Amino acid sequence: LQDLARRIKALDELDPMTPTAAWQAWRLEQTRLVRKDVTATLARYSDRSRDSIRQLLLDAGLETLAADDEIYRAAGLSPSPVQDSEPLNNLLNAGYQQTLGTWRNLTATTASTVTGAFESRLDRAWLQVSSGAFDYNTAIKSAVDDLADRMPGVTYPSGHTDTLEVAVRRAVLTGTNQTAARLQLARAGELGCEFVEVTAHEGARPEHALWQGKVYHIGGAVERDGIRYEDFETATGYGTGTGLCGWNCRHNFYPFFPGISVPNYTAARLEELNAREVDYGGKQYTRYEIRQMQRALERQVRKAKRRFLAEEAAGVD
């Protein structure tokens, strides 16, 4: 963004009466340099990002299984070391490849989208100046502000759009969470554990609040000792983007042994987590509603930061 803003700033060094051919040649050269710079920037970070993604998945997987294995040992079972399990290591590697593939897809079109955005703003600014409608400073400020506010990012099939850094963050976090969950289920199958307890937290999105903090059975609903346990996947939506361990989900799950394990959450505690207990502006809100308001403010802050960076690079107030 700063690089594009500096190049747009160079407009004020051109004579508004520059012949069209000379203007087109300058525009083409700037666009070529932008594509080169974007490609170089991505290359500079790509190896480091690949290593970071691999380390994230490895650390998360080992930490998650270590917590689960404590529960298994307390139940009298003997989980094997992770490094000795080929199925678990295959799952780790598959999770890494999937997450890395998503990351590559998100960044693959960056050079094209950025250069396209640059060209359109450059053309508009030049037209405004050469037609006499605006002076250089006004046209440049308008162009860099529009670029800062509407830099092309990632558009999902649902139509929702994210800036590139938000989309990459979501993809890596989701990939890490899903890989750890697959390792947990594989370990549960290895040790014959059929039940899991899902975690709960305040501020859960409403659809997740319906199933958080409860115990479920893997492989279909069952009744055990007079208690009905719903099917894990059906109840929580595990395996879908909107369900447990899906997009931006902060929930997890742990092994549970009926008759031995003690549930972490009572019905009363779950009600407390979803209660309207936060006073703000004379009204009461749930933690989820407050968090959504906070995120809206954070988006405004990020927008202001992008504008500041672009305007500073372009030398406008």
Side-chain angles (χ1 to χ4, degrees):
L1 181 62
Q2 289 176 299
D3 182 53
L4 303 194
R6 281 190 289 267
R7 294 186 188 283
I8 291 175
K9 169 71 165 62
L11 270 175
D12 63 10
E13 299 173 6
L14 294 177
D15 185 332
M17 301 308 292
T18 297
T20 300
W23 150 248
Q24 291 291 348
W26 181 84
R27 173 183 178 277
L28 180 63
E29 174 65 7
Q30 293 299 312
T31 302
R32 185 186 66 80
L33 290 172
V34 164
R35 181 180 291 274
K36 182 180 177 182
D37 286 348
V38 171
T39 302
T41 299
L42 289 174
R44 190 163 66 248
Y45 289 103
S46 60
D47 285 342
R48 189 161 52 182
S49 296
R50 278 195 291 268
D51 291 341
S52 296
I53 291 172
R54 182 184 292 277
Q55 194 62 49
L56 273 172
L57 265 68
L58 179 61
D59 290 347
L62 293 177
E63 186 176 333
T64 300
L65 285 183
D68 281 12
D69 287 350
E70 285 188 23
I71 298 174
Y72 289 128
R73 291 190 188 97
L77 299 172
S78 301
S80 60
V82 177
Q83 58 269 27
D84 295 341
S85 173
E86 184 176 350
L88 293 182
N89 280 282
N90 287 341
L91 280 173
L92 258 176
N93 190 56
Y96 166 70
Q97 294 298 337
Q98 179 182 340
T99 305
L100 185 61
T102 302
W103 178 81
R104 283 173 175 156
N105 288 339
L106 291 175
T107 57
T109 58
T110 301
S112 296
T113 56
V114 169
T115 51
F118 172 70
E119 287 179 293
S120 65
R121 271 60 172 199
L122 200 60
D123 286 347
R124 189 179 69 179
W126 177 255
L127 180 62
Q128 290 174 338
V129 172
S130 60
S131 67
F134 295 96
D135 59 64
Y136 273 116
N137 283 341
T138 302
I140 289 171
K141 179 175 171 59
S142 174
V144 297
D145 283 351
D146 187 56
L147 199 58
D149 294 347
R150 297 178 178 82
M151 174 73 87
V154 175
T155 301
Y156 298 94
S158 64
H160 176 78
T161 60
D162 275 329
T163 56
L164 184 61
E165 72 275 11
V166 170
V168 168
R169 179 180 184 274
R170 175 180 291 122
V172 172
L173 286 177
T174 301
T176 303
N177 206 14
Q178 289 178 344
T179 300
R182 292 188 190 108
L183 290 171
Q184 290 180 274
L185 291 176
R187 180 69 104 189
E190 174 190 314
L191 296 174
C193 178
E194 300 179 18
F195 297 84
V196 292
E197 181 180 26
V198 175
T199 60
H201 61 79
E202 60 184 11
R205 67 191 84 165
E207 56 270 30
H208 286 202
L210 296 173
W211 46 252
Q212 71 171 358
K214 299 176 182 177
V215 178
Y216 299 97
H217 181 255
I218 301 171
V222 298
E223 187 168 318
R224 184 74 57 86
D225 298 328
I227 301 175
R228 180 176 172 80
Y229 297 94
E230 298 298 333
D231 176 58
F232 172 63
E233 291 189 9
T234 304
T236 66
Y238 175 78
T240 67
T242 56
L244 173 64
C245 297
W247 304 313
N248 279 349
C249 180
R250 294 163 51 210
H251 290 98
N252 204 333
F253 55 88
Y254 295 95
F256 189 91
F257 295 91
I260 300 176
S261 303
V262 177
N264 280 292
Y265 307 96
T266 64
R269 176 56 181 152
L270 291 175
E271 282 188 24
E272 289 177 10
L273 293 177
N274 299 322
R276 290 182 179 276
E277 59 177 10
V278 183
D279 292 316
Y280 181 75
K283 295 181 180 180
Q284 284 202 316
Y285 299 90
T286 64
R287 293 280 176 182
Y288 173 78
E289 291 169 332
I290 283 292
R291 186 163 284 123
Q292 292 303 104
M293 294 162 67
Q294 177 184 340
R295 285 175 177 166
L297 292 171
E298 288 168 352
R299 285 193 293 272
Q300 291 181 35
V301 171
R302 288 198 297 272
K303 178 179 178 180
K305 283 184 176 180
R306 286 195 298 270
R307 275 206 173 196
F308 171 77
L309 290 172
E311 291 182 358
E312 184 180 49
V316 297
D317 186 358

